[in-house]
Amino acid sequence: MPEKPISAGKPPFYEATANECDLFQTAWDKRLPLLLKGPTGCGKTRFVAHMAARLGVPLYTVSCHDDLTASDLTGRYLLKGGETVWVDGPLTRAVRHGGICYLDEVVEARKDVTVVLHPLTDDRRLLPLERTGELLEAPDNFMLVVSYNPGYQNLLKQLKPSTRQRFLAVEFAFPEPAREAEVIVRETGIDPDGAMLLVRIATNIRRLKGIDLEEVVSTRLLVYCATLLMAGVDFDDALNAAVIEPLSDDADVKAGLREAVAILRS
């Protein structure tokens, strides 16, 4: 996880699909935590970075995983120069100095993480640091944002209802085709017809039945594919590297995906 936050600056490009920017702004103004739900690669992380830059506040991003503990977020004592010193984690730095703390795929973290978050998600807005004996009160310019992909989680990795109900929630989906094509053009410089072809391919794959895919084609993968095309990579090679291979390791599944693409291009 980063030792320093991403500083505020020019907002990265983000194409709004509904009222999510207004809702984020209201949540910030009213000091409410926010939960983002949606498939991988649909723009959740870009959205948070965009809003942090618009608000002019630092962004502390943590990519959650199985080994992430509460101490990774709050901090720990470390040996420096022969002395034992306390070092704040990203959540503590955001609470102590202000900013947005964004926990990406929060359900991947260990259970003790959500316990730490609970006092920050109600009207107390407190962060107790048992190791130092501090009780930090979040300033007005602090916001907690978390995200996860509901479609990818199994029964052992779900956000508890008692935790979900502590957040405002926004559901993300892939943009409608014309808007998704605009995003690809803006990100890569590919021509609109080429972008729309990629979107049609992705839409066709997203609608496939009978093919075992844990994830579908994301907007991010389409941007990768368009980037390869703009670099002069052959279309089939670009599609294979940016779309087919990232989606599956199964030879039969990959063959089915290539067949679906061939039908669309014929």
Side-chain angles (χ1 to χ4, degrees), residues 9 39 41 98 115 128 148 164 173 194 197 208 212 220 230 247 254:
V115 174
Y148 78 110
R164 285 203 309 269
L197 174 60
L208 284 177
D212 186 18
R220 179 190 297 130
M230 292 299 292
L247 288 181
K254 290 189 289 187

Side-chain angles (χ1 to χ4, degrees), residues 190-208:
I190 194 172
D191 64 276
D193 289 341
M196 186 54 72
L197 174 60
L198 294 179
V199 171
R200 287 200 299 268
I201 289 172
T203 301
N204 198 32
I205 293 176
R206 291 166 187 167
R207 292 173 177 170
L208 284 177

